[in-house]
Amino acid sequence: KEMNEHDEEVSELAKESIVNWVNTFEVENPCNSYKELETGVHLCEVFSNIAGKEYLDPSLIKRFNVSTNYLLASTNFSLLLSSLHSFLTLSLHIPPSSPHLLSLLSPLSPPSPSLLSSTPPLLSLLTLLLITLLHSPNKNQYILNITLLQDDSKLFWRERIQKAMD
């Protein structure tokens, strides 16, 4: 089942594709399930890989007791979103008041693990990560990693990349 922006529930294909993609990056510990993404740790590490430590220092990521502490996980999502915002406005020179940027950021407020439980905020977050990826000096490697995923995951990411390029 394809991921539709009007669906509230995130499809199993989307969940599997996202976990597989996260594991193509250098992360401290492999992501074993979509549920693990709710800590924010893996997504912060992915962004740090893409944008660099100057935008998100991995030492700032909350790692301990984060799976049982909603506040710590929310702190990771706040860190991720503020780092994404900095990258997009400082590195890509997108005005902070850009309607497109605001339309992607608005579903992500307030930052918390619950962002991953419904499709609209998840799509916004993935689009922001992919915009960052497409402007990364290592984008060719990251795109190559996507082509090495299973076919259904490849199709999922191809559709996401196409939307990020729009």
Side-chain angles (χ1 to χ4, degrees), residues 34-148:
Y34 189 76
K35 183 93 176 125
E36 282 184 27
L37 295 176
E38 292 178 3
T39 65
V41 172
H42 291 96
L43 294 173
C44 283
E45 288 180 327
V46 164
F47 178 77
S48 184
N49 271 243
I50 295 170
K53 290 176 174 58
E54 63 273 19
Y55 285 100
L56 196 156
D57 180 345
S59 69
L60 299 175
I61 301 169
K62 306 289 183 225
R63 298 175 187 276
F64 301 102
N65 301 324
V66 72
S67 60
T68 56
N69 188 320
Y70 190 83
L71 189 57
L72 290 176
S74 295
T75 302
N76 283 339
F77 279 92
S78 292
L79 174 65
L80 175 61
L81 293 179
S82 65
S83 300
L84 270 164
H85 189 270
S86 294
F87 180 85
L88 296 169
T89 57
L90 299 174
S91 188
L92 301 186
H93 308 291
I94 298 173
S97 58
S98 153
H100 183 60
L101 181 58
L102 292 173
S103 73
L104 289 170
L105 289 170
S106 66
L108 302 175
S109 187
S112 73
S114 63
L115 296 177
L116 301 181
S117 60
S118 70
T119 300
L122 176 62
L123 285 177
S124 288
L125 183 58
L126 294 179
T127 301
L128 289 167
L129 286 169
L130 288 171
I131 289 169
T132 306
L133 182 145
L134 292 169
H135 291 87
S136 163
N138 300 320
K139 76 176 176 186
N140 292 337
Q141 181 60 50
Y142 298 138
I143 291 171
L144 176 64
N145 290 345
I146 290 171
T147 67
L148 300 175

